[in-house]
Amino acid sequence: MRKVLLINSNTERFPYPVPPIGLSLLSTIIGKTYKVEIFDGVFRDAKELPSVIKAFKPDYIGVSIRNIDDMVIDNPKFYLQKIVDDFIFPIRQCSSAPLILGGSGFSIYPIEIMRMIDADYGVVGEAEVSFLKLLNALDIGAEIDIKGVINKNTKSIDITYSPKNIHTLEIPFAEIDHKIDFTPYLERGVYSIQTKRGCYHKCIYCTYPVLEGKTYRMREAVDIANEIAEAHKRLGFITFEFVDSTFNDPPQHAENICREIIKKNINIRLRTMGINPAHASAELFDLMRKAGFAQVDSTPDSASPKMLINMKKNFSLEQLKKTAKLLRDFDMPTMWFFLFGGPGEDEKTVHESFEFISEHISPLDMVHMTVGLRVYRGTELYNVGLAEGRYQSTDSLLYPPYFYISDAIKKEKLEEILQSYSRKHFNCILSSESTPPPQMMKEAAELRANEKLSEPMFRTLLRIRKLWMESGKM
Ligand code: B12
């Protein structure tokens, strides 16, 4: 049996370590015909890689590139260079196995990254089918002509993956804990679950439709509940997190998933990103609470009626207010995300968002405020910036990361307003300042232990932040 080493090159542990669900899925698919091992860079030191390669002697090496940068405008973390230094370079030094790249970060910049990294092949987008085909073709020395597969000489590729007329998603259970040592994730991490792929929203800056396609492909609700129940049986009381672009779209899918989980009658904690206000309802939140949801992320990006239109959000301010009220009524701990600086943003629109934040968001909930929108090819914002002459079509925007900020407000003014707001509102935090200092983490951990708090960590951190701000410590 030929051997494949899959490497998770994501070493980021903020805001918490995320397990390699994509590699776990690939491992299940190719594991039927190949011997597979996953090296998980989140918790294993990349320095161990050469000895792992020497012992395992892989015929192929696949490296997953999830994060390129952290999308923070000031002092951005640029992960890619570290991946080259800590993973790619040592791999090339100790193995001549074909090196294959993939992953969501890679798929946003496939051509640029193939040029930057000395790899043999790259698989763009989801890879359950194409990666297996590539390995099979390499086994027999066949010509490589597979949709989504590129090499160093590829000049261009249509990165928009849009399967037509497919409504179901058939993927195996990821069984992440069978593929990697899951023990360290039990402390601060989550168990990732994907319920569908695709996104039909048109938010101008977003890569999700580019990466996953513009139509939803859904798994059966009962399968998702079974996957959760089985993992729960193996691991006990853990947090499961949905990694879908938006959780409650289509709404019936989300509701059905909750109903199936409720039927299992298991003690778990659930969380999700992407609560879309257009389809939030009391029925949905009631089901979510009963299923075990302990916290959600809500990403309206703005609460200015003008900006909701400019950013092509699919909901109105009224729907957003209704969602905020439902979240408070159902006492659902929520992390809110706002993106400031999109096309047309000015002082008035920023203040409109703040009006909403002050009046409708519980002070117990955290509000993340990001300055500037990271621009990616394949998005409408990219074309806006191009038309405004901010960059040329030949500029890659990969490094340094390019951020869009409306000329009607400019970076300095925007930062000044957000900073002054965050000084007055302890629950409003700039993305660039969102990593809690070690002392704050320590105090939060102590408070949780002493008071036996089971609330989400962000709420405990906000308590400490409030104390620090009131006592002038920050
Ligand atoms: C869910 C999610 C989150 C959740 C994670 C929750 C969790 N439990 O995992 C949260 C909100 C915490 C999060 C945080 C961050 N995220 Co995020 N996240 C996503 C999202 C929406 C889905 C990722 C996912 O799990 N997909 C499902 C799995 C099954 O797909 P996959 O991993 O892509 O794998 C498939 C393919 O890529 C491919 N593949 C993967 N690896 C390999 C390897 C080989 C060899 C091959 C051949 C193929 C292959 O095959 C797989 C199966 O088809 C993506 C956007 C997207 N739609 O992809 C952004 C995304 C990955 N995140 C991104 C970023 C930047 C971040 C943060 C750095 C943001 C921040 N400043 O905090 C952090 C980093 C967190 C960390 N510790 O790494 C960016 C990365 C691009 C970039 N700019 O660098 C993305 C692409 C969003 C974007 N802006 O476009 N994220």
Side-chain angles (χ1 to χ4, degrees):
M1 212 181 216
R2 304 201 117 211
K3 291 183 279 184
V4 185
L5 178 64
L6 295 175
I7 299 171
N8 178 19
S9 70
N10 177 18
T11 54
E12 182 57 83
R13 293 188 194 173
F14 178 81
Y16 42 85
V18 300
I21 179 176
L23 286 185
S24 301
L25 288 171
L26 294 183
S27 163
T28 303
I29 302 279
I30 64 168
K32 291 175 189 138
T33 36
Y34 296 86
K35 188 169 173 356
V36 188
E37 207 175 292
I38 297 184
F39 181 92
D40 183 14
V42 180
F43 287 109
R44 289 186 75 175
D45 193 329
K47 290 195 184 83
E48 290 176 41
L49 204 45
S51 57
V52 169
I53 292 174
K54 273 175 208 147
F56 186 58
K57 297 190 185 59
D59 297 289
Y60 305 104
I61 298 182
V63 176
S64 173
I65 301 181
R66 181 196 195 275
N67 300 327
I68 304 296
D69 56 75
D70 62 357
M71 305 191 301
V72 174
I73 195 164
D74 289 320
N75 298 321
K77 286 188 202 165
F78 186 62
Y79 302 106
L80 205 52
Q81 190 56 52
K82 205 171 147 46
I83 294 173
V84 174
D85 297 342
D86 294 355
F87 291 89
I88 306 295
F89 191 61
I91 293 172
R92 283 308 213 189
Q93 279 203 317
C94 67
S95 170
S96 56
L99 178 60
I100 303 156
L101 306 178
S104 41
F106 170 76
S107 301
I108 300 177
Y109 297 103
I111 303 290
E112 292 84 349
I113 295 179
M114 283 304 284
R115 265 184 222 140
M116 175 177 171
I117 292 185
D118 175 29
D120 299 290
Y121 300 97
V123 180
V124 181
E126 66 183 47
E128 279 84 354
V129 175
S130 43
F131 186 43
L132 182 61
K133 278 190 183 167
L134 172 62
L135 296 177
N136 291 167
L138 290 171
D139 283 349
I140 55 169
E143 195 195 329
I144 309 296
D145 182 15
I146 302 160
K147 193 169 183 287
V149 175
I150 60 172
N151 62 37
K152 272 183 275 193
N153 302 320
T154 308
K155 298 271 179 299
S156 69
I157 179 167
D158 177 10
I159 55 171
T160 40
Y161 178 85
S162 230
K164 301 227 169 32
N165 304 323
I166 305 176
H167 299 290
T168 53
L169 174 66
E170 281 170 28
I171 50 171
F173 292 0
E175 295 184 327
I176 308 172
D177 52 305
H178 284 173
K179 317 286 167 44
I180 57 166
D181 175 10
F182 198 75
T183 332
Y185 290 94
L186 294 174
E187 205 180 307
R188 263 187 64 219
V190 287
Y191 195 99
S192 307
I193 299 281
Q194 189 172 42
T195 85
K196 62 177 175 293
R197 287 187 186 159
C199 185
Y200 60 37
H201 294 296
K202 299 190 166 64
C203 309
I204 58 167
Y205 60 87
C206 188
T207 58
Y208 298 177
V210 178
L211 287 166
E212 299 184 10
K214 296 186 180 80
T215 53
Y216 287 121
R217 287 164 294 144
M218 287 162 279
R219 293 175 65 197
E220 294 290 337
V222 66
D223 274 354
I224 296 155
N226 283 341
E227 180 175 10
I228 291 175
E230 283 187 17
H232 165 70
K233 207 168 165 195
R234 297 193 299 270
L235 298 164
F237 178 70
I238 53 167
T239 303
F240 291 91
E241 178 171 26
F242 295 104
V243 296
D244 304 2
S245 48
T246 52
F247 175 68
N248 59 328
D249 269 319
Q252 302 78 3
H253 182 58
E255 289 166 13
N256 288 340
I257 292 167
C258 291
R259 285 192 191 98
E260 291 298 333
I261 297 173
I262 294 166
K263 277 193 213 159
K264 297 282 179 194
N265 195 18
I266 43 179
N267 182 22
I268 50 170
R269 206 187 286 130
L270 294 166
R271 59 181 290 180
T272 188
M273 35 176 259
I275 292 295
N276 189 293
H279 296 135
S281 65
E283 190 184 5
L284 172 75
F285 288 134
D286 183 45
L287 285 167
M288 286 175 72
R289 266 302 195 197
K290 288 180 179 144
F293 275 89
Q295 86 176 77
V296 297
D297 292 355
S298 180
T299 48
D301 298 335
S302 176
S304 148
K306 174 179 150 189
M307 290 308 293
L308 291 178
I309 293 170
N310 288 5
M311 307 262 271
K312 296 221 169 137
K313 306 300 288 186
N314 71 321
F315 53 85
S316 64
L317 179 57
E318 282 319 303
Q319 286 172 310
L320 182 58
K321 287 181 184 171
K322 186 184 143 211
T323 304
K325 179 168 182 329
L326 284 169
L327 288 166
R328 288 197 316 273
D329 290 351
F330 281 88
D331 191 21
M332 182 75 88
T334 306
M335 286 212 269
W336 291 84
F337 292 82
F338 287 82
L339 270 176
F340 292 95
E345 186 95 85
D346 55 24
E347 288 188 46
K348 182 168 177 279
T349 60
V350 173
H351 287 295
E352 284 169 347
S353 287
F354 284 145
E355 258 169 51
F356 167 81
I357 293 171
S358 323
E359 283 172 33
H360 299 275
I361 293 184
S362 159
L364 296 174
D365 285 342
M366 191 177 268
V367 178
H368 284 261
M369 307 184 299
T370 299
V371 174
L373 282 66
R374 177 77 168 97
V375 181
Y376 301 104
R377 242 190 231 133
T379 63
E380 192 176 328
L381 184 63
Y382 175 83
N383 295 334
V384 171
L386 203 59
E388 290 177 2
R390 290 169 177 255
Y391 37 78
Q392 308 295 312
S393 60
T394 43
D395 294 340
S396 84
L397 315 187
L398 172 63
Y399 190 80
Y402 187 85
F403 291 83
Y404 185 103
I405 296 185
S406 152
D407 285 339
I409 187 149
K410 300 240 164 41
K411 180 169 181 279
E412 293 67 29
K413 187 72 202 167
L414 182 55
E415 276 175 345
E416 185 193 311
I417 302 174
L418 300 193
Q419 258 154 11
S420 101
Y421 196 81
S422 118
R423 275 195 294 273
K424 287 183 221 124
H425 298 81
F426 71 93
N427 64 330
C428 295
I429 299 171
L430 280 156
S431 301
S432 51
E433 295 167 6
S434 62
T435 313
Q439 180 59 22
M440 190 180 272
M441 284 301 286
K442 188 170 164 269
E443 287 183 29
E446 281 165 9
L447 188 67
R448 288 172 80 80
N450 294 342
E451 312 245 328
K452 299 200 171 30
L453 298 176
S454 60
E455 65 188 10
M457 184 60 165
F458 79 80
R459 283 207 164 167
T460 316
L461 285 166
L462 283 182
R463 289 169 191 261
I464 308 280
R465 200 175 144 87
K466 185 166 187 261
L467 286 175
W468 281 23
M469 279 171 78
E470 282 167 357
S471 64
K473 205 168 162 184
M474 70 185 301

